Amino acid sequence: MVNRCCDRPALSPLARLAQRGVPHGNRGHDDAYDHTRLSRCATCGSGVVESHSHDCWDPSDHSSWDMYWWWRIDPADMDVVLELVGDCPAPLKPGCDCRLHRGLGASTPPAGALSRETPYEKAPVPAAKVRIDDGIPGWA
Ligand SMILES: [Zn+2]
Ligand SMILES: [Zn+2]
């Protein structure tokens, strides 16, 4: 869908880190929905973090409904991420209670300059890293 790491991205989902609410258009949707997801590119080995925030509280202004943030994780920084995902019993379950989900699902990476955009625009993507602090992973 979108090029966030290299010229020939081949992203596959690695983990659903967090999810709040019911997606727009689905039964039970109540204005707000957001999620944070982690993918890995088979071409370049980078990780891609996507955070989506939806709020349709104001029906007159569609342009304000959806916001996207993207980060890229260097292939060299993916080892620790893959290890955490490997230790998680359910990487695609946002409610999982393992340290991957507790650590990385609680927040998003620090937003760099201009990381807010729709997925259809091209802009430099800030880099993110995972750092383990006292056994609990966090974004750096
Ligand atoms: Zn790539
Ligand atoms: Zn987990």
Side-chain angles (χ1 to χ4, degrees):
M1 168 177 81
V2 66
N3 178 355
R4 299 289 89 174
C5 53
C6 61
D7 289 340
R8 289 179 298 124
L11 298 182
S12 54
L14 211 52
R16 292 173 191 235
L17 295 175
Q19 182 169 321
R20 229 164 26 106
V22 175
H24 186 83
N26 290 52
R27 206 194 162 116
H29 177 65
D30 185 15
D31 291 349
Y33 167 77
D34 45 53
H35 70 225
T36 305
R37 289 177 185 172
L38 175 66
S39 313
R40 183 167 183 270
C41 175
T43 308
C44 67
S46 296
V48 173
V49 183
E50 170 214 358
S51 173
H52 171 212
S53 176
H54 170 94
D55 192 333
C56 59
W57 182 81
D58 181 357
S60 66
D61 183 10
H62 281 229
S63 66
S64 73
W65 283 11
D66 293 287
M67 291 184 289
Y68 295 88
W69 292 262
W70 303 90
W71 296 265
R72 187 179 46 77
I73 305 174
D74 270 350
D77 297 318
M78 279 300 282
D79 286 358
V80 58
V81 175
L82 293 173
E83 203 177 307
L84 287 162
V85 172
D87 286 346
C88 169
L92 298 181
K93 227 170 121 188
C96 173
D97 196 36
C98 78
R99 59 192 195 120
L100 165 80
H101 280 93
R102 269 185 293 141
L104 299 185
S107 62
T108 54
L114 232 71
S115 58
R116 179 189 144 170
E117 58 183 76
T118 74
Y120 306 103
E121 290 171 320
K122 290 198 173 188
V125 178
K129 270 183 199 193
V130 171
R131 195 188 52 198
I132 311 261
D133 220 351
D134 257 347
I136 299 295
W139 297 110

